[in-house]
Amino acid sequence: MRTGFSLLTVKMSEDTYIPMWLLAELTYACPVQCPYCSNPLQISASRKQELSTEEWFKVLSQARKLGAVQLGFSGGEPLLRQDLVDLLREANRLGFYTNLITSAIGLDAEKIAEFKEAGLGHIQISFQGADEATNKRFGGTDSFKQKMTMTREVIRQGLPLGLNFVLHRHNLHQVTQFLTMAEELGAEFVELANTQYYGWAKHNQEHLLPSKAQLEQAELATNEFRQKHTGSMDIFFVAPDYYDDRPKKCSNGWATTLMNVTPEGDVLPCHAAKMIPGVAFPNVRKQALDEIWHSSDLFNKFRGTEWMVEPCASCPEKEQDLGGCRCQALMLTGDAANADPVCSLSPHHDKVRSITEKAQRPFNPEEPVPLLFRNMKNAKQFLTE
């Protein structure tokens, strides 16, 4: 999941966790078809079950009362919601700092002006490649010129802007090109986000995961650019989990900071949590956010450290990573309560090594890439399973 926000790290007791960051996934409809999308595989072409404007207003109000201060409008493509300006105005009235996470398809100068007037604090525009051909190849749309034009327009109108480049085996070599382009455009913030393997990315993992040599070269190129262009823009390089020997906290810690509301109103402690078996998924149409945050089985299942099994339970580092990613543990070991297998101390770490070993083949730009692209037609096969 990429949002343009850095999660706030606040140390507090388990009974005082505050959902400071609300991610509002307004719709799963999207004009791009990224094969690394973190949306669920089981997305429906129907939008009839999406929350209404008034229902979103209630969500925003309840989240604000809980202490949420940062709000990301995401999707899919949030620009496809006809009420986006209304949602922005309400969020601004409630006191949120808002971020719009968009492909820029459907964006124009008039909408940018409307969003600014409505109180939008920040726009993040995503690119699928550093040139027109790569962007089209991995986004499924001829949108590169539109993205470039809208990036310039956002800057012209004085809205804070971040650019997001999702990296994988087939565009890691473009890192310097990405950064040069971002600097020339005038971006304040660049996120070089290596693909994390959930949703569609997990399905396409074999063809997206880079080799270690590719990753090291990309990091080197990023650091060299930083040294030569000090102070021009903030650059964040997010490494893929599979090449670390210690896991990252799940969204700053399961149910400690983030609250994710899906288009249909399900409330999750992270964007991928719906894969966790054996728990009910609370919904804003049936429960208030306060009750969900404090009392639901889902939000309490992996909060804190009491749930941990060995080796996490007695690990001196457990407060640093809180066990890592529960969804990753489930996908790779079959049990969400296990240690994140990214950790070298996990008894299942060999599963990660097996995955990365397969990715060490030399990169060939001409190699076939049989990816399953994220679209409603391809999603049908998962809806019937």
Side-chain angles (χ1 to χ4, degrees):
M1 168 190 66
R2 302 299 160 203
T3 64
F5 285 139
S6 295
L7 288 175
L8 301 174
T9 302
V10 178
K11 187 172 180 60
M12 52 183 67
S13 63
E14 290 184 24
D15 59 351
T16 57
Y17 289 131
I18 298 171
M20 292 178 288
W21 183 34
L22 173 65
L23 182 62
E25 295 181 315
L26 298 181
T27 180
Y28 285 144
C30 191
V32 291
Q33 304 179 49
C34 306
Y36 48 74
C37 183
S38 61
N39 283 167
L41 292 166
Q42 302 85 357
I43 51 176
S44 171
S46 174
R47 299 181 60 188
K48 294 180 180 179
Q49 297 304 312
E50 289 181 4
L51 296 180
S52 67
T53 306
E54 289 302 319
E55 286 173 321
W56 275 116
F57 281 0
K58 291 179 182 178
V59 168
L60 299 183
S61 177
Q62 291 176 17
R64 192 71 183 90
K65 288 177 182 177
L66 273 171
V69 292
Q70 295 192 109
L71 169 61
F73 285 121
S74 180
E77 176 49 71
L79 292 176
L80 293 175
R81 286 283 300 215
Q82 299 300 309
D83 57 357
L84 182 55
V85 172
D86 295 328
L87 295 176
L88 284 166
R89 285 200 180 100
E90 180 65 7
N92 185 56
R93 185 188 71 81
L94 290 168
F96 279 105
Y97 178 82
T98 53
N99 183 32
L100 177 65
I101 304 152
T102 177
S103 68
I105 298 175
L107 194 61
D108 57 35
E110 183 178 349
K111 287 181 180 177
I112 293 169
E114 283 186 304
F115 297 160
K116 184 178 179 180
E117 183 275 332
L120 178 61
H122 183 272
I123 292 183
Q124 176 181 291
I125 295 177
S126 62
F127 282 76
Q128 287 71 47
D131 56 56
E132 195 165 356
T134 307
N135 193 81
K136 184 175 181 179
R137 184 185 185 192
F138 292 100
T141 59
D142 192 9
S143 59
F144 187 75
K145 291 180 180 177
Q146 165 71 5
K147 292 173 184 287
M148 296 286 281
T149 300
M150 287 303 102
T151 296
R152 294 188 182 98
E153 183 61 25
V154 169
I155 293 171
R156 189 191 71 80
Q157 294 201 31
L159 265 173
L161 170 78
L163 297 182
N164 175 257
F165 303 116
V166 180
L167 304 177
H168 49 78
R169 181 176 184 83
H170 302 280
N171 67 3
L172 259 175
H173 60 284
Q174 295 186 331
V175 160
T176 300
Q177 194 176 343
F178 274 133
L179 293 173
T180 301
M181 180 180 77
E183 185 179 51
E184 290 175 352
L185 287 168
E188 298 177 353
F189 168 94
V190 174
E191 184 179 35
L192 298 170
N194 277 275
T195 298
Q196 307 295 343
Y197 294 93
Y198 308 93
W200 294 82
K202 179 61 178 173
H203 187 87
N204 289 306
Q205 175 183 283
E206 180 181 350
H207 304 291
L208 292 176
L209 186 65
S211 67
K212 189 173 184 179
Q214 282 183 282
L215 183 64
E216 290 174 346
Q217 182 57 44
E219 286 189 283
L220 178 62
T222 301
N223 290 333
E224 288 178 348
F225 189 94
R226 285 193 184 110
Q227 292 172 4
K228 294 178 182 178
H229 303 263
T230 304
S232 58
M233 62 185 176
D234 292 327
I235 302 170
F236 295 86
F237 188 94
V238 184
D241 287 354
Y242 288 179
Y243 285 110
D244 282 339
D245 63 0
R246 289 294 186 273
K248 302 179 181 73
K249 285 183 179 179
C250 171
S251 302
N252 202 50
W254 177 281
T256 65
T257 310
L258 171 71
M259 181 177 281
N260 186 141
V261 181
T262 72
E264 296 84 14
D266 288 338
V267 188
L268 310 173
C270 79
H271 69 281
K274 288 201 75 171
M275 68 174 65
I276 303 291
V279 292
F281 296 101
N283 190 284
V284 296
R285 288 176 169 142
K286 298 179 180 179
Q287 292 176 272
L289 287 185
D290 181 86
E291 180 183 356
I292 292 170
W293 180 258
H294 292 293
S295 305
S296 68
D297 290 341
L298 177 66
F299 276 71
N300 284 289
K301 190 171 183 65
F302 300 113
R303 182 181 267 152
T305 60
E306 292 300 315
W307 59 271
M308 290 181 175
V309 297
E310 294 298 345
C312 296
S314 59
C315 180
E317 300 176 27
K318 66 181 180 182
E319 295 290 348
Q320 297 175 30
D321 56 43
L322 296 177
C325 177
R326 299 301 85 223
C327 299
Q328 201 151 255
L330 175 68
M331 287 187 295
L332 298 182
T333 76
D335 187 343
N338 282 333
D340 187 332
V342 162
C343 183
S344 62
L345 301 176
S346 165
H348 302 284
H349 187 60
D350 62 304
K351 296 182 181 297
V352 173
R353 287 201 305 266
S354 177
I355 291 170
T356 56
E357 284 171 2
K358 293 177 182 178
Q360 301 317 304
R361 64 192 185 277
F363 172 63
N364 176 7
E366 302 302 321
E367 68 182 69
V369 190
L371 297 169
L372 186 74
F373 285 85
R374 184 258 196 226
N375 57 48
M376 299 307 178
K377 180 180 178 181
N378 287 333
K380 286 181 180 179
Q381 62 186 282
F382 302 105
L383 290 169
T384 57
E385 289 180 355

